[in-house]
Each structure stands twice: as C-alpha cells, then as structure tokens.
Amino acid sequence: MEFPANLREIIRDDARARAAYSEGAGIYRIVPAAVCTPRNVAELSQLLRWAFESGTALIFRGAGSAMGGGNVGSGVVVDLAALAPRVLAIDPVGRTARTSANVTLAELNDAASASGLRLPPDPSSANWATVGGMVSTNAAGPRTLRYGSIRPWVRALEVVTTSGDHGWIRRRAEAVPGEPGMSDAALLELEARLTSEIHPFASLISASFPRTRKNSSGYALDAFVESGDLVDLLIGSEGTLAAIITVDWRLDPIPAEHAALRISLRSLDDLGDAVPALARLGPSAIELLDRTFLELVRTSSRSVELPAWPTDTQAMLLVEFEGENTGSVRGLVGDAVRAVEPWAAEVETALTADEERRLWALRHAASPILVGLPETRRSMQVIEDGCVPLSRLAEYIGFIRRAADTRGLSVVIFGHAGDGNVHVNLLPELARVDWQTQVAGLMDEVMAEVIRLGGTVTGEHGDGRLRAGLLEAQYGAEVVTLFRKVKTAFDPNGILNPGVLLDPDAPAIARLKTGTGAAPIPGDIARALRDIERTGGYARVRMEVADEVAG
C-alpha cells in the first residue's frame, strides 16, 4: 500500500506493528494493512481525506476493549490514543464536562468526583475504556437500570467526517449561548437530508425496534426520530460514520449513601416475579449470577474468601440501592427483603462499605477464573450481549442452558437482570474437532431465540463484526435499508469500518484469535496480547507492545 508523503511519519506497515493491532477484546484476530497514529486533528483530517480519495478502509480504535470486533480489520487501524490536545475539563456549577475521546471513564469520574459528580453509566471496563469508545457502542453497565446508557448523558460531539472537515454537533435541548453549535455547514445539510429520509418512516421504526430496556444494535433511528438530533445517530455507530474527537457530557451528583442485598433463588422461573418486584423499588442495579456462574466459582480454586450460598440455588441477584441519607436507603433494603420473601431461599444484606465489598466480591470472582483457563479451553464472548424483555428473562436463560448442553458446550451466564441483559461466556474445548461448528450453531440458535422473545441481539456492546449479519433478522429488510441510507449519507465511499454493523454475508465465527486457523503473528506479540487479555491491560498502547517486545 502506498502512503502519501504527508502521512508517512504517522503510518507503520511493518509486520510487528500490524500484529500488535490484530486483536482487541473478543474473539477475532485480523491483521491490518497498516497502523496510523495521528498526533492531532489536522493529521486525522489529512488521513480521512486521503482514505476517502483512495478508497482505503479505516478502523478507528481507542483502548481496543470492545468485544464485538469493531476495533480490528484488514484496512488501516487508526489508534486515537495519542490524539492531541487531550482535554479533561469539569464544570461543577453547570454539572457538565468536556473530554477528548481518548480520556477513560475512570479519569473522567476521578476528576468529577472532586466536585461530588460522576458520569453514572458504569461498564466494567471503566478503568481502560475510552469515552470515545463508549459513545461509539452506546455503552451501559449495571447502573443503566436507573440512569440509562451513555446516550442521554451526551450533550454534544465534535467529529471529523470523511471529507476531512470537523465540527460540533450539539443537541438542540442543550444549546448554550456562546458555546459551539453545529459549526460545520455540511453537517447541518446532512441533518436536514437524513431528517427528510428517515422521519417519514417513524411508524415502521417504532414497530420494528425491540421493546427492551437496552439496545445498541443498528443505528438508533428510534432515538433520532424522537429527538431530531444527529448526535443520536453517531452514538452507537461504532466508527462507521465519523471519527469522534471530543465529547460534552452531563454529569450527576454522587449519591451520599448506598447499600446492597444478595438474594438466592431456588427456581429460575422466580426471576420473572422477583426482578420486577425489586425494580419497582428504584434500585440502581440488579445483577444476575446464574447457576452456571456459581458452579464455576464454587469448583475453582480462589484466593478471595467468598460467602456460602444454598447448594440448590438456580440464580442469585445482587441488588444495589443509592440515596441521599442512610435512613431512606436502609428503608429500601428492608422493602426489598419483604418484596422477595415469597421466592427467596436466602437473603443477605450489606449496609456498610466493607459488607458491600464482600457481597460484590462474588460478582467479580469469575473474571480471574475465566481468563486463567488453560489454552485448551478458552473463554469466548460470542452470545454475550442478548437483551430480552424482563418477562422473558427466565425463559431465555433456560433456553441458553439447554441449547449449550445439547451441543456439549459449557457456558457461564451472568448479567444485568434489571435490564434483561444477559452475558454468556462459552468455554469450548479446543481439542474437539467440531468446536467451531458447534459454537457457530449455538450462536445461530440463541440469537434466533432472542429475536423470537422480542429482544435485541445487542444490549450494550455494539454489533461489531460479530452480529453485523443479524440486523435484517432483527429489524427487517426495510429498516436495514434505512440503516444503509444513514451509512451512505455519512460515508458515501464506505471507507469507515467496513464489515462492522452492516455486513449480511460475513461469517461471524471466522478469523478467530484462537484455534488452528488463527492468522500467524510473531509468537512474542501473541503472548503479549494474550497477557493483555488475561490481565485487563487494555490501557497499554499496542505500538509500544510492538517495539518493547522486539527489544
């Protein structure tokens, strides 16, 4: 591949650099053609103009921690980690923040906490996930139950388009005198065009989108129809429409008090009664630990002392309440104990910080076990993000268990019960000849069941490459046609993250990072990437991996 002279300083196409960016979180290994590390917006704009003119595919990347495969590809990977200026500014009076896209959620909340503020959505990857990546997937987490996903907390976005131009897109409701609005005329024209093309199909969109508490699948036509804000199409677009460089946020006060409960259920069917009963009390989180999760923790060696629980537990709920005073929070805990009494085999309350840490230790116990599995039995995130209506949650989990058992696959199930969002780790035996066929078959079965139950195949992680082929089954051909109109309006040459979100023909279980078919890369780089996966070391700059390991 030939690169223009003005970009050669920031592009590398040597084998080690390409290998270092061939993986992210998730299942894929795809060696890119090159890696670009723009140092400022001017260089990023030059890159986009060249890519547009030459038809070169670009894959934008933050920490690389997204699971759906939207952070890897065969074109030029664009690492935005070093993009300057790096911005992190808090306005405590207005309860807002402005951050560059390469700031992490942990950095944002650390800075905001000094003013008693936070960004409430809390994905488990907060320590390394960049806010640009979170916007790109409409990320969520346990507290989505009370605070929603990232979407309602975004006031405005500064983006660079495929033309190489950049400008601000601000919500109408968030317009502030003296602050930038949509300064780029082309973006104003684009908004008007898409409004005319999308809004006439409001009834179709309303009928086609799932009635779930979370949804990060496809472009958010439903939110765009409701708000009229172009921002809503960019949130969750996974780098397929524009490069996000700066985000303006709303922030929320940090609650003064919190408490938690651990509830054991003897029947999976009781989820359908217990979860809605708890949700009516306004908790900030209701987390699910399925029997498969509990069995993994119980039978694995561990250094953390964990509580005992009834051996016949089929599902466990961890519930968090937040509030402004101790009395109200403890009152809610008491209400919750009484609410689940008809179904609970055991209830443990946590009213102090130490008790809460001990209670939540169980939720965090599985991750070290899963990443520490031997190379012959890898944990794989393949059906990890289905979300169904709460009334169908038990039915969905039961289906996953039965379908996995039929195919001889071990699964570990957990998730955000209050949202009906279920995460599943598959644990295939890689020595088994047909493991890839069985994994692909299980994915097909489970995703079809999600749709049958009125759910969404993607609750909070983004479609990526993994679920790009499912959108027509999820929404129907007419809505997918509207998705393509959005894509074409922003990216007429199709250069931004091709194969992500819209790719009906690409097989999901292919180009994996594990197994005999994995693309060859230098052994030391493969080991370094595996170490990042095992330790959650996604903050590590991959270009440094390429150079440091070489030394």
Side-chain angles (χ1 to χ4, degrees), residues 294-461:
L294 299 173
E295 287 176 350
L296 176 76
V297 173
R298 190 195 297 275
T299 58
S300 301
S301 60
R302 58 184 185 268
S303 58
V304 179
E305 183 180 351
L306 297 173
W309 57 87
T311 55
D312 59 350
T313 298
Q314 289 294 311
M316 186 179 290
L317 299 175
L318 303 180
V319 187
E320 179 188 72
F321 289 98
E322 297 180 325
E324 291 310 309
N325 62 76
T326 302
S328 64
V329 170
R330 293 192 175 189
L332 287 169
V333 169
D335 292 341
V337 172
R338 289 184 288 274
V340 299
E341 186 176 359
W343 312 289
E346 181 180 78
V347 178
E348 179 185 352
T349 61
L351 304 178
T352 69
D354 285 343
E355 289 173 347
E356 281 193 74
R357 277 192 291 271
R358 181 174 176 272
L359 186 149
W360 285 97
L362 181 59
R363 170 66 175 82
H364 303 302
S367 292
I369 297 170
L370 290 169
V371 299
L373 290 171
E375 293 301 308
T376 56
R377 194 183 184 207
R378 292 283 289 273
S379 174
M380 299 183 67
Q381 294 78 35
V382 174
I383 51 173
E384 92 299 349
D385 202 27
C387 185
V388 298
L390 291 186
S391 61
R392 314 305 292 271
L393 181 58
E395 188 177 353
Y396 177 49
I397 294 172
F399 182 89
I400 296 170
R401 288 182 185 176
R402 292 190 300 274
D405 285 346
T406 298
R407 292 183 174 275
L409 294 170
S410 298
V411 295
V412 177
I413 303 171
F414 57 100
H416 312 306
D419 294 313
N421 185 202
V422 178
H423 300 320
V424 183
N425 282 56
L426 300 184
L427 309 178
E429 296 283 355
L430 303 190
R432 182 176 166 182
V433 174
D434 66 341
W435 72 267
Q436 287 188 231
T437 300
Q438 294 301 332
V439 167
L442 182 64
M443 180 180 176
D444 289 343
E445 285 184 63
V446 173
M447 294 298 94
E449 181 69 0
V450 168
I451 295 168
R452 187 190 73 79
L453 294 172
T456 173
V457 297
T458 304
E460 62 182 11
H461 292 164

Side-chain angles (χ1 to χ4, degrees), residues 218-261:
Y219 297 120
L221 303 183
D222 54 342
F224 178 60
V225 166
E226 182 177 347
S227 70
D229 292 326
L230 207 59
V231 166
D232 281 319
L233 290 178
L234 286 158
I235 297 170
S237 62
E238 298 191 75
T240 63
L241 303 182
I244 296 169
I245 55 175
T246 314
V247 188
D248 273 9
W249 300 98
R250 289 195 308 112
L251 301 177
D252 204 48
I254 299 172
E257 301 291 339
H258 45 93
L261 303 90

Side-chain angles (χ1 to χ4, degrees), residues 7 10 21 36-48 60-63 77-88 99-104 107 130-133 158-161 164-166 242-247 541 543-544:
L7 295 176
I10 57 171
Y21 285 84
C36 182
T37 54
R39 296 165 292 193
N40 51 54
V41 175
E43 290 181 345
L44 179 60
S45 296
Q46 291 168 7
L47 174 70
L48 277 156
F60 298 122
R61 179 169 171 137
V77 168
V78 184
D79 185 347
L80 299 174
L83 195 70
R86 202 167 190 274
V87 179
L88 175 52
T99 66
S100 49
N102 50 12
V103 167
T104 67
E107 289 173 321
T130 62
V131 296
E158 186 181 17
V159 302
V160 182
T161 67
D165 297 326
H166 76 278
I244 296 169
I245 55 175
T246 314
V247 188
V541 177
M543 198 63 80
E544 293 178 0

